Amino acid sequence: MKNRIQKTLANNQKIVSIYFTAGFPNLNDTCTILEKLEKAGVDMVEIGLPFSDPLADGPTIQESSTQALKNGMTAVRLFEQLKDIRKTVSIPLVLMGYFNPILQFGVEAFCQQCKAVGIDGLIIPDLPVDVYENEYKHLFESYGLLNILLITPQTSDTRIRTIDSISKGFVYMVSSASVTGSQKGFGEAQTAYFQRIASMGLKNPLVVGFGISSPETFAQAIEHTNGAIIGSAFIKHLREFGVEKIDQFIEKIRGH
Amino acid sequence: MKYNIDSRGYYGKFGGAYIPEMLYPNVEELRENYLTVMEDPSFQKEFNSLLKDYVGRPSPLYFASRLSAKYETQIYLKREDLNHTGAHKINNTIGQILMAERLGKKRIIAETGAGQHGVATATVCALKGLECVVYMGEIDIERQAPNVARMKMLGATVIPARSGSKTLKDATNEAIRDWINNPIDTHYIIGSVVGPHPYPDMVAKFQSVVSAEIKSQLLTQTGKDAPDYVVACVGGGSNAAGAYYHYLENTDVKLIAVEAAGYGVNSGESAATSVLGKEGIIHGSKTLLMQTDDGQITEPYSISAGLDYPGIGPMHAHLFDTGRAEFVAITDNDAMNAGLELCKLEGIIPAIESAHALAIFEKKCFGKDEVVVLSLSGRGDKDLATYISHFNLI
Ligand SMILES: Cc1ncc(COP(=O)(O)O)c(C=O)c1O
């Protein structure tokens, strides 16, 4: 049986994916946001489990995480909120979280809960590839969860091939050497990088994330790849409009 | 090698490199090269000559006779406070700047708590003419103002860390983010035995000069190269790692690690990681850290900026876990009193971090003939404002 992520990427040439931090702007916005994103035509969502010390994130996602934690978001709460989400939302859902909260929850219990609520994949930026392979791969797989791994412009070709061989959903291409949210636009270096990776003929689809904030950057990102993930720009939208006008945000990013 | 690092970068179950992929090339470059570079004779030659002629090593091992008389034991102070820039931190920054140079890096970043590591980093950057950016928590910038001024005089840019508790943990987050944003030309000089492998091992090796000297100095002064006890304060644990290093496998030498209890271990305002911490991941390392049940890292508290950190290095987590070291927590008040006592009895004004270690003598009795070596990790000049307000000195 194919995972929802695989199906979506097989059917769809260019996907739009949204990241948001669970518990932001309000503790109980999670399901509303997910439902509105699906209605707006978003193909996949990454739900961020907030962490006190998000090393790979820029100020926008940091602040949303701090706010979400203040609002009382925890892994337990998030799973409670998501318990009936598959009754209303059918697009693939990926949980993104740093490793420490997952360790404290218990990695197996976490996987169990993910499966129970209908999560399709995980992105754990600070779980290194070798530790994943040696200690957790069998667990993730036994709960049908795809572990999504990242590559960056500095990742060597050999390592990209290794990551591709371990990955089953897609390869997450970090757009540039940076934390989330810091790009103003993509220059030649980035487009060259998108092209270079696209021409490697990897078995997994490529989805670009970090720094996609406008119709222009979105268009640049998907030109050579299978889709793009918008995070900080969407968080800013939530900050300004709450859960309103989500459809307009998506329309605008798509450029029509 | 039961207590030192293994070939995978772990001390027992602690350590490793839990880093986002964005940091992988930087950390991997360092991991692949650090041992070769450090063992290179030209590196050793430059490192040793800078330690001698620039830092002023060996630092004295001083028999503190009045302190010893008061506590009826044999107390030797390892005088890291007499190093250039006033603390043990410079041993590490000298090593790392030479490493950075050999790896072809042009820009240096660092985090700092008390400002001692920031000053030591700014110093070696001035020495080598490299750009230097230091991240420092906004709260620490206030309580360690003289060190901020020093860094600026030495040509460094000091960037306030405004997230979280605005102290050392947050400064470290910001430094790591900077490194993610600048992966090619930048070297991150971490200030303690924390962070992803190979940092804890590399920093411990640079600091190991401390126990190498203790061994030979003690042999000359007492006829034996090993004491009964080595005592050191632990923030991240670099001065302790240096003072323990050559005694790690010699279990006749008892190791005591002193942590900051803040207002008291159970006050909710503490930095006593071994008591309050649980296994987890902080700054790329699996170790003990203070956290909520939900895995959020807790904001620590100590009067001493250098000990105000919610984790300890993986070596220390292992020493705690195996019982190799005894961990003791000292409150703000007890540390301040011990600091003042050293001033009165020995004419030495210690850093508040080191004063935590000194407070061991009120907590624990040592035998009359037992030899206790205590790492006096730094001098108290930077802490004058805190001493003044704590004791109403003016
Ligand atoms: C004088 C002094 N001692 C100790 C420490 C604590 O660091 P570590 O535990 O790495 O020795 C610091 C940190 O700033 C310091 O300045």
Side-chain angles (χ1 to χ4, degrees):
Chain A
M1 199 183 75
K2 272 199 168 164
N3 179 297
R4 286 186 200 90
I5 298 172
Q6 293 163 329
K7 277 190 224 156
T8 297
L9 278 154
N11 295 341
N12 231 317
Q13 277 307 297
K14 310 282 176 188
I15 71 161
V16 184
S17 181
I18 291 288
Y19 166 92
F20 74 98
T21 308
F24 177 85
N26 299 299
L27 178 62
N28 293 317
D29 285 340
T30 315
C31 294
T32 316
I33 294 173
L34 286 170
E35 285 157 14
K36 290 197 176 186
L37 285 172
E38 174 159 308
K39 262 209 199 92
V42 164
D43 302 295
M44 179 169 78
V45 182
E46 293 171 45
I47 307 169
L49 180 63
F51 181 49
S52 55
D53 296 75
L55 288 182
D57 286 301
T60 306
I61 294 181
Q62 280 175 48
E63 282 159 26
S64 70
S65 305
T66 308
Q67 185 60 47
L69 291 172
K70 264 195 204 132
N71 293 345
M73 183 48 78
T74 65
V76 175
R77 278 249 162 81
L78 179 59
F79 287 128
E80 255 165 43
Q81 292 178 346
L82 294 177
K83 116 177 123 17
D84 293 322
I85 196 67
R86 283 309 179 193
K87 291 185 181 152
T88 52
V89 171
S90 60
I91 52 175
L93 299 177
V94 177
L95 213 59
M96 176 156 185
Y98 288 81
F99 195 36
N100 196 52
I102 299 173
L103 259 186
Q104 300 314 316
F105 195 94
V107 180
E108 172 138 35
F110 192 85
C111 291
Q112 232 161 18
Q113 289 289 317
C114 283
K115 186 182 167 144
V117 302
I119 296 292
D120 305 288
L122 294 171
I123 301 177
I124 308 172
D126 57 344
L127 174 61
V129 177
D130 57 327
V131 178
Y132 165 68
E133 272 217 284
N134 297 331
E135 295 179 40
Y136 299 111
K137 188 161 180 249
H138 62 285
L139 256 187
F140 283 34
E141 289 185 350
S142 70
Y143 290 97
L145 298 167
L146 303 185
N147 187 32
I148 309 300
L149 300 170
L150 276 55
I151 63 169
T152 81
Q154 270 67 48
T155 313
S156 70
D157 281 8
T158 336
R159 190 163 166 87
I160 292 176
R161 301 242 175 245
T162 309
I163 286 172
D164 184 45
S165 74
I166 302 167
S167 301
K168 297 229 170 80
F170 60 91
V171 168
Y172 190 137
M173 277 176 73
V174 175
S175 66
S176 47
S178 81
V179 294
T180 52
S182 25
Q183 293 306 302
K184 294 218 168 53
F186 292 143
E188 265 168 47
Q190 273 123 349
T191 25
Y193 156 65
F194 299 155
Q195 259 170 328
R196 172 169 69 86
I197 307 301
S199 68
M200 283 180 75
L202 303 182
K203 76 175 166 78
N204 282 282
L206 298 169
V207 181
V208 183
F210 286 39
I212 295 158
S213 58
S214 60
E216 295 74 34
T217 43
F218 178 73
Q220 283 174 304
I222 62 170
E223 190 182 345
H224 303 284
T225 67
N226 306 86
I229 302 168
I230 298 117
S232 298
F234 183 65
I235 304 271
K236 283 182 188 155
H237 176 88
L238 289 175
R239 201 161 63 197
E240 193 170 344
F241 301 104
V243 299
E244 301 307 316
K245 303 190 191 174
I246 286 180
D247 49 345
Q248 289 171 32
F249 176 87
I250 303 299
E251 250 172 60
K252 185 169 154 240
I253 283 284
R254 278 219 157 111
H256 44 71
Chain B
M1 295 291 269
K2 230 173 119 183
Y3 301 107
N4 218 319
I5 197 149
D6 68 21
S7 58
R8 297 156 44 248
Y10 283 80
Y11 299 87
K13 59 182 172 183
F14 301 107
Y18 293 79
I19 46 168
E21 188 61 30
M22 292 79 105
L23 280 180
Y24 181 83
N26 317 23
V27 172
E28 185 59 12
E29 178 185 30
L30 193 60
R31 192 193 63 80
E32 274 180 351
N33 291 297
Y34 83 108
L35 290 175
T36 327
V37 170
M38 284 175 75
E39 282 155 15
D40 184 68
S42 82
F43 180 95
Q44 279 299 322
K45 188 163 170 247
E46 193 175 358
F47 182 55
N48 291 326
S49 90
L50 282 172
L51 287 185
K52 176 169 170 284
D53 301 326
Y54 187 72
V55 176
R57 302 204 71 90
S59 69
L61 182 71
Y62 164 70
F63 177 67
S65 58
R66 297 188 68 210
L67 194 67
S68 297
K70 166 150 192 206
Y71 290 103
E72 298 178 355
T73 186
Q74 309 297 313
I75 302 171
Y76 290 81
L77 301 177
K78 182 57 175 163
R79 300 290 308 274
E80 293 301 298
D81 62 313
L82 292 177
N83 292 340
H84 179 41
T85 72
H88 66 294
K89 298 284 181 188
I90 189 109
N91 304 328
N92 169 44
T93 60
I94 293 274
Q96 285 206 47
I97 200 79
L98 299 181
M99 180 69 62
E101 230 182 11
R102 278 156 177 81
L103 295 176
K105 306 295 174 181
K106 301 280 175 265
R107 178 174 174 271
I108 299 297
I109 55 173
E111 85 296 340
T112 195
Q116 283 308 106
H117 175 61
V119 168
T121 303
T123 299
V124 296
C125 287
L127 181 70
K128 289 292 184 181
L130 293 179
E131 184 189 346
C132 180
V133 175
V134 180
Y135 291 89
M136 187 169 188
E138 209 164 44
I139 292 186
D140 292 337
I141 287 183
E142 278 164 37
R143 60 179 166 177
Q144 305 284 338
N147 274 343
V148 177
R150 279 191 192 104
M151 286 185 267
K152 290 186 177 163
M153 289 176 74
L154 292 160
T157 308
V158 181
I159 303 184
R162 297 205 167 89
S163 55
S165 55
K166 304 182 179 66
T167 60
L168 182 53
K169 158 178 94 82
D170 312 284
T172 308
N173 289 343
E174 290 306 324
I176 292 175
R177 291 185 185 116
D178 181 309
W179 211 20
I180 288 176
N181 289 334
N182 298 284
I184 295 169
D185 65 337
T186 297
H187 175 72
Y188 176 20
I189 301 193
I190 264 187
S192 191
V193 286
V194 299
H197 178 63
Y199 276 106
D201 185 44
M202 179 172 70
V203 177
K205 286 190 159 79
F206 287 139
Q207 290 291 359
S208 70
V209 62
V210 174
S211 52
E213 289 174 7
I214 293 172
K215 276 184 98 166
S216 71
Q217 290 167 323
L218 212 53
L219 183 65
T220 313
Q221 295 181 37
T222 70
K224 271 180 67 183
D225 73 351
D228 296 292
Y229 289 89
V230 181
V231 182
C233 66
V234 172
S238 66
N239 87 91
Y244 298 165
Y245 198 87
H246 292 284
Y247 298 117
L248 282 172
E249 310 296 333
N250 177 359
T251 49
D252 291 339
V253 179
K254 293 174 220 84
L255 308 176
I256 299 180
V258 179
E259 292 182 307
Y263 293 136
V265 169
N266 297 314
S267 66
E269 301 283 336
S270 178
T273 305
S274 72
V275 188
L276 301 169
K278 277 188 304 183
E279 195 177 317
I281 311 283
I282 182 170
H283 297 138
S285 178
K286 185 181 264 186
T287 186
L288 293 173
L289 62 131
M290 291 166 52
Q291 52 184 311
T292 64
D293 291 340
D294 194 40
Q296 309 298 338
I297 300 176
T298 313
E299 327 239 304
Y301 163 78
S302 165
I303 194 169
S304 142
L307 304 182
D308 200 352
Y309 184 70
I312 48 175
M315 173 200 278
H316 298 291
H318 183 54
L319 297 179
F320 175 76
D321 195 50
T322 54
R324 174 69 185 94
E326 177 186 352
F327 279 66
V328 178
I330 296 294
T331 61
D332 286 0
N333 265 332
D334 291 350
M336 296 303 285
N337 291 334
L340 193 60
E341 181 178 74
L342 191 73
C343 303
K344 304 272 172 28
L345 286 180
E346 298 288 350
I348 298 170
I349 302 176
I352 297 173
E353 290 79 13
S354 322
H356 280 74
L358 289 162
I360 192 71
F361 297 112
E362 285 290 340
K363 273 265 160 131
K364 187 178 165 81
C365 286
F366 298 92
K368 202 161 72 44
D369 300 319
E370 286 187 318
V371 172
V372 182
V373 171
L374 185 140
S375 167
L376 198 70
S377 56
R379 67 177 87 129
D381 305 29
K382 70 180 173 64
D383 295 315
L384 275 189
T386 312
Y387 276 119
I388 289 168
S389 70
H390 190 85
F391 292 112
N392 291 314
L393 294 174
I394 302 183

